[in-house]
Every structure is written in structure tokens, then in C-alpha cells.
Amino acid sequence: MTASIEALFPRDGRDDLVALRAVDADELARYVADPANPWWQRRPCATALAGRVPEQRVPELLARVRDPQEVGEVRKALLDALAEQAGTGLLPWLQHEDQRHSRSIGMPEAFLKARGVLGDRTATAELATLANDPWRHQHVVGAAGLDALIARYGLAALLADLGDLQRPEDRVLRTRVRHLTGEDVTDMLADPDRAVAHHAQSLLSDADRLREYLGGAPTTEAKLWAAYALHRLTGDTARTRAIYDTLGRPRVEVAGVDEELRKAIVHQYGHRCQRQSDPRWRIEALCTEQPEPTDQDEQLRRATTALLAADQAPQPPLSCGQYHQQGDGTYHIIRFGGARPLLVSTLGRFVTAQDADPAIRRALESAGFRWIDATTGAIQVTGLCVYHFGAREALDVRTLLFYWQD
């Protein structure tokens, strides 16, 4: 039995689910229930049990789900298979507080999804939170649980479970539900939570309706979201700039950030900022002229020459990805002597180094560079939320000019 199943796993590691679904369900269930078998083969076998778990094997498979020492990938696959099958007695265990807050990575979310699949409407609010998570792998799990509840009880029941919709994630779900039923959700561009408004604009597809809404939108932000959605649909930059001008070219003012810094930052991050960012940054990125592209090779040659002029011994430049041996970002590093390395931004003529000799700064400024000191570097660029090592918040000038992400 074991040999016949293991023969279906080719050496390249790909799972042949079609072949596994042709295997006798009882044989698959016994293979999955035996923890002595490799977990990476038991997981696809559990997936292949979907819709055909043998009733007599349910207790053994539930034992594997309940075992905190079992590999999480196997537990998740078994949860999916068992949740689709009535009469397993899985739901009461899932509803137990200790199980919902399991410390195993990914398991609390998998438990929550299974509760949705099993029709547990008390999970609706938690699933709405999970479905609104910015991490896609979390969002997908939450959305699957919600979709199962919608299929079972209908959209109206799901919205009733959410009550007064005070939470932004509840309003995101309401927006999605309204859109699914064919309602126009343009009014949600005026939601006070930017993540909700951003979600609404992503669903809109009627350019004429957006043009009509622009004239009567209740807030400047709502008008900017409408302009952003309209640009997404039409790609008409000239029209977007005309709207921007009509609105008075609104922007987020940041004290201490001059036009040179601002232009470099907005055109690097305004097009890819996080959903809770102020829409003024997005529209400014669309409607203002980009800075001149930086000749990075020439810039690095000038920086190296300036360090030599300051009696330093610069090493060959490295990109921040090379320096950290992973990832990428917006600066190069030039090491010299025993001092902290020089950071040379790819976004413009910006350089910095911690605890640098004043002579080094003077040499670089004489070569046409702009030194970013501690005061300027510490300025927070408000309303522009950028992903950085798991966080999605406003960053300071130094981090944005000299950005690295692994």
C-alpha cells in the first residue's frame, strides 16, 4: 500500500493530485493517519481526500488535526478535507478557545477558515478581520471562510452578523458584498478610513459614473480617490492633471522636506504606497514631473573621487543588496578606512554616513552631492505608508532615500 502511493511522487517533487485522487480513499486515509510516513507526501494525500473521507477513518484523521506536534501543512490539508464533510464533529473542537489561539504558525487562521466552511456564523467578524489583512496569504484564508458563509447563508445574513459596521474591515466586507450584488459602491470613496476607500476604488469600473461623482463628492479625499480610479481605468494623465489643478493641487505638506527631496520621494513611493496612504501622494506622483534620472555609475565615480580628495581609501562601491548579501533598495555603499560606510542614494544626489569626519562631508558637497544630516534624515514623511520589514507605516527621510528590503 505505502509503496504504491509513494510511487506517485516523482523525483522532481511535484504532486500528482490527479493520480492521487484515483487512489482508493481508505488507502489514502490510512497513509495520512500514519505519522511515520513523510509529511510532504501525507499533505497532498490529505488534499486528495477532499469530498471522500471514509467515515471509518474520521477519528484517526481528527487525531492528526488535534495533535499539536503534527506538521502544520498536514493539519491544514486535513482541516480542508474534513470541513467539507458533514458529521465529523470537528466544529465544537474548533470553537474551543485554546484551539482558536494555537501558537502553531498558520493554524489559528486555518481553524478560523474551517469554522467558516462548517457554517459557524460566530466566526464572521474574525474572518472579516483576516480577509482584510494586507498579507495576501492571510487575506486568501479569510476570504475563503467568508465565501463559504456567504454560499450557505447569503449576503444579507453575513452583513447582519457584522452589526453596526463600526470597524473598517467590516465596511470593506460590506463594500465587497455590495459590489458582488451589482450595487454601485462609488459612495464608499468618501469612507473616512483610507483602506476602505482604496478597496472601493479598486472595484470601480464605470468611468462615466466616476466623472459624474467628481462634481459632487463630499470631500477632497473622495474626489482624489475618484480621480485615481478614473486614471486607473483610462490612463488619461492629462485629464487627471486637469482634475488635480481644479482641486487646487492638494498635497501633504511636510515641514523640512524641500522640493528636491519631495520629488525624489514621491516619484519613488507614490505609485506603490500602501492602501492606508493619503491619496494626495498618489495623485501627486501621477501629476508632477519626475526628477531627472540619476547616472549611477557617474555618481559613484564622483563620490569615490571625493573620498580620495579627503585622504580616504574608498573600496569599490557595492549595491545595498550586495552589501547585505540579499534584497535590494535605493542606495550604494562605499566603505573607506575604519569609518562607517558612505551611503549614496540612487534617487538623486543624496549621500550620508554616520559619525563622518566633517572633511568628508565638505569634499562630497564640493563634488555636487547633498549631505543628509541627522535632522533632515529624521523627518517623518506623513501619510505616505511604505512597506518596510513587515510594517506599513510612514517612514523618515533617511529610510526612504536609503531604503533596503531583504
Side-chain angles (χ1 to χ4, degrees), residues 117-172:
V117 172
L118 288 164
D120 181 7
R121 287 171 63 178
T122 67
T124 300
E126 290 176 89
L127 284 168
T129 298
L130 187 60
N132 195 48
D133 195 287
W135 289 104
R136 187 180 182 280
H137 67 278
Q138 299 281 67
H139 159 77
V140 168
V141 174
L146 287 175
D147 288 343
L149 287 174
I150 291 171
R152 184 179 293 227
Y153 300 110
L155 298 168
L158 204 67
L159 288 179
D161 291 339
L162 296 176
D164 57 9
L165 304 177
Q166 289 298 306
R167 304 186 310 161
E169 57 263 48
D170 295 342
R171 298 199 299 280
V172 166

Side-chain angles (χ1 to χ4, degrees), residues 56 83 113 121 146 185 188 252 258 261 373:
Q56 70 273 19
K113 171 190 168 185
R121 287 171 63 178
L146 287 175
V185 296
M188 296 306 293
V252 180
D258 59 29
L261 288 170
D373 60 22

Side-chain angles (χ1 to χ4, degrees), residues 40-62:
W40 57 89
Q41 294 181 351
R42 292 162 60 221
R43 177 191 53 75
C45 288
T47 300
L49 280 172
R52 59 190 191 110
V53 177
E55 186 176 347
Q56 70 273 19
R57 298 297 173 190
V58 168
E60 298 170 68
L61 298 177
L62 282 175

Side-chain angles (χ1 to χ4, degrees), residues 266-337:
V266 74
H267 284 283
Q268 176 66 18
Y269 302 102
H271 296 288
R272 57 188 184 94
C273 55
Q274 296 294 304
R275 60 186 180 178
Q276 66 270 36
S277 296
D278 192 312
R280 291 167 178 82
W281 288 113
R282 298 176 185 272
I283 299 299
E284 184 176 344
L286 289 172
C287 296
T288 58
E289 294 298 324
Q290 296 189 22
E292 290 294 322
T294 302
D295 185 335
Q296 295 178 28
D297 291 337
E298 189 274 337
Q299 184 172 257
L300 293 171
R301 282 195 296 270
R302 282 195 296 117
T304 300
T305 301
L307 288 171
L308 288 169
D311 296 324
Q312 302 299 316
Q315 297 181 27
L318 297 171
S319 71
C320 56
Q322 291 172 318
Y323 180 81
H324 292 289
Q325 298 184 336
Q326 58 185 334
D328 200 5
T330 65
Y331 65 97
H332 289 86
I333 283 179
I334 302 178
R335 290 177 285 195
F336 58 95

Side-chain angles (χ1 to χ4, degrees), residues 1-10 13-29 31-32 38-50 52 54 77:
M1 179 267 290
T2 297
S4 64
I5 289 179
E6 291 182 345
L8 297 177
F9 292 94
R14 290 179 296 178
D15 303 329
D16 189 346
L17 286 176
V18 173
L20 286 171
R21 289 190 180 105
V23 174
D24 177 72
D26 191 70
E27 186 177 346
L28 280 178
Y31 188 87
V32 175
W39 73 263
W40 57 89
Q41 294 181 351
R42 292 162 60 221
R43 177 191 53 75
C45 288
T47 300
L49 280 172
R52 59 190 191 110

Side-chain angles (χ1 to χ4, degrees), residues 360-376:
I360 294 172
R361 173 173 177 173
R362 288 194 297 270
L364 285 155
E365 289 178 334
S366 296
F369 288 97
R370 178 174 175 179
W371 191 269
I372 303 301
D373 60 22
T375 300
T376 300

